[in-house]
Amino acid sequence: MPPETPHNVGYLVAAYVVAPVILAGYLTALWGRVRRAEGRTEGRKDGRTERRKDGRVDGLEGR
Amino acid sequence: MTGSGSAASSAARALARRGLRISLAALLGLAGVYVLALRFTPVELRQGPAQKIFYLHVPAAWSALIAFSLVGVTSALYLWLHDPRLDRFAASSAEVGVAFSAVMLTTGPIWAKPIWGTWWTWDARLTLTLFLFFLFIGYLALRASVHDPEERARFSAVVGILGMLLVPFIHLSVYLFRTLHPQPVVLKPSAPSLPPEMLRTLLLSTAVFTLLYVGLVTLRYALALAEEARDEAADAA
């Protein structure tokens, strides 16, 4: 690079880290939500239930 | 679980796997974009390496604005046809659009600091984009707070259409108002004003982000289907 070109590679690195963290993080969260929704549906189908930390029982809401 | 509920659950599962595969392929493509941008695309002499943030920021903005435009189009179609698939798609596209907006609104200031000397300025383009982001956060909050599916779809369709109306203003804001934000280099009446190596990287990155949009919307649509199957199972129990 010519000497007059600014040296700001730190900003480049920051942006190139932040973008995939947001996108891969969203993908991971979305996949987790899909798995939980599928699990609860299957739990109801099989008559299985699961007690959550708050004491409520998954698979029984609405009954 | 009813027969239709079981079929919906199976369809959701198949769709979710397809969405996951497309999204993972797009993330792999993003790794390829990184190699192309960092190794094989020249450094812009006046802006330095930070100019390469452009190859993430512009495609993220493209995906976000496409996502929000499609929310508006499918919302308008929902109000006309009352097809729940349109409402499901609008909800999916809005959520994915918010994720891409988050990328746009973080990479933009990271680029602005070394180039403009400030992280943020309240000019028309940036302010309208932030408003659009907040409007769709409100859209998602509205969806979460209304429990009747038809009411939820109708109310959120109106907000979705209003959000879409902001998109052309955001694109044209650099022409309509005095702004620090650079003018478009590709989506403009004249030919793209970028060297071929930079244009190639930008177009490839835009294609990868579009593929990621398709994958994430497919996965989010599958989630909506799975949640409906779950609710149907609860009602049947």
Side-chain angles (χ1 to χ4, degrees):
Chain A
M1 283 190 295
E4 64 272 21
T5 300
H7 295 278
N8 48 25
V9 76
Y11 293 98
L12 171 69
V13 172
Y16 274 56
V17 169
V18 163
V21 165
I22 292 172
L23 294 172
Y26 175 60
L27 174 61
T28 307
L30 195 50
W31 180 244
R33 287 160 67 194
V34 169
R35 292 302 300 266
R36 279 195 296 279
E38 286 176 351
R40 286 182 194 171
T41 307
E42 288 302 308
R44 287 201 175 91
K45 192 166 117 182
D46 301 344
R48 284 189 281 113
T49 60
E50 179 187 339
R51 186 170 293 280
R52 298 198 307 227
K53 282 181 184 167
D54 62 6
R56 290 157 69 186
V57 178
D58 276 346
L60 292 180
E61 304 101 291
R63 290 186 184 184
Chain B
M1 182 180 277
T2 63
S4 65
S6 181
S9 178
S10 302
R13 193 174 298 112
L15 202 59
R17 267 106 192 119
R18 188 182 307 163
L20 182 66
R21 278 196 296 272
I22 296 171
S23 302
L24 291 175
L27 287 180
L28 202 62
L30 187 60
V33 168
Y34 274 33
V35 173
L36 190 63
L38 299 175
R39 181 76 185 83
F40 299 103
T41 307
V43 173
E44 210 272 339
L45 295 181
R46 279 177 302 162
Q47 295 191 17
Q51 181 272 337
K52 294 188 179 190
I53 296 171
F54 171 82
Y55 304 119
L56 295 182
H57 176 72
V58 173
W62 157 264
S63 302
L65 295 183
I66 288 291
F68 293 145
S69 300
L70 289 176
V71 173
V73 171
T74 48
S75 295
L77 288 172
Y78 174 81
L79 291 179
W80 181 29
L81 301 169
H82 298 283
D83 185 335
R85 288 175 298 182
L86 293 165
D87 176 57
R88 254 182 248 135
F89 180 88
S92 306
S93 190
E95 194 178 290
V96 174
V98 166
F100 282 116
S101 296
V103 174
M104 168 176 56
L105 289 168
T106 48
T107 54
I110 295 173
W111 171 84
K113 179 62 179 166
I115 307 303
W116 292 345
T118 180
W119 296 102
W120 186 265
T121 174
W122 293 101
D123 85 345
R125 168 68 70 95
L126 278 68
T127 307
L128 284 174
T129 307
L130 191 64
F131 280 179
L132 186 70
F133 177 70
F134 286 143
L135 195 146
F136 276 96
I137 294 281
Y139 174 96
L140 296 177
L142 173 69
R143 293 195 70 91
S145 62
V146 180
H147 296 290
D148 178 69
E150 284 186 21
E151 270 195 349
R152 180 176 58 214
R154 205 169 60 247
F155 293 168
S156 53
V158 174
V159 179
I161 293 168
L162 293 175
M164 178 185 67
L165 296 180
L166 266 181
V167 172
F169 281 102
I170 289 174
H171 182 68
L172 296 174
S173 58
V174 288
Y175 299 115
L176 297 173
F177 305 101
R178 286 181 63 182
T179 172
L180 274 177
H181 196 282
Q183 297 205 344
V185 290
V186 177
L187 289 178
K188 57 178 188 160
S190 54
S193 47
L194 269 182
E197 300 94 339
M198 292 183 175
L199 184 62
R200 175 199 61 193
T201 306
L202 178 65
L203 292 179
L204 180 75
S205 184
T206 304
V208 164
F209 270 75
T210 306
L211 184 68
L212 186 57
Y213 167 77
V214 171
L216 289 173
V217 166
T218 306
L219 190 53
R220 180 60 184 78
Y221 190 97
L223 173 63
L225 274 181
E227 286 175 340
E228 282 173 25
R230 180 190 66 192
D231 293 343
E232 194 178 314
D235 290 343

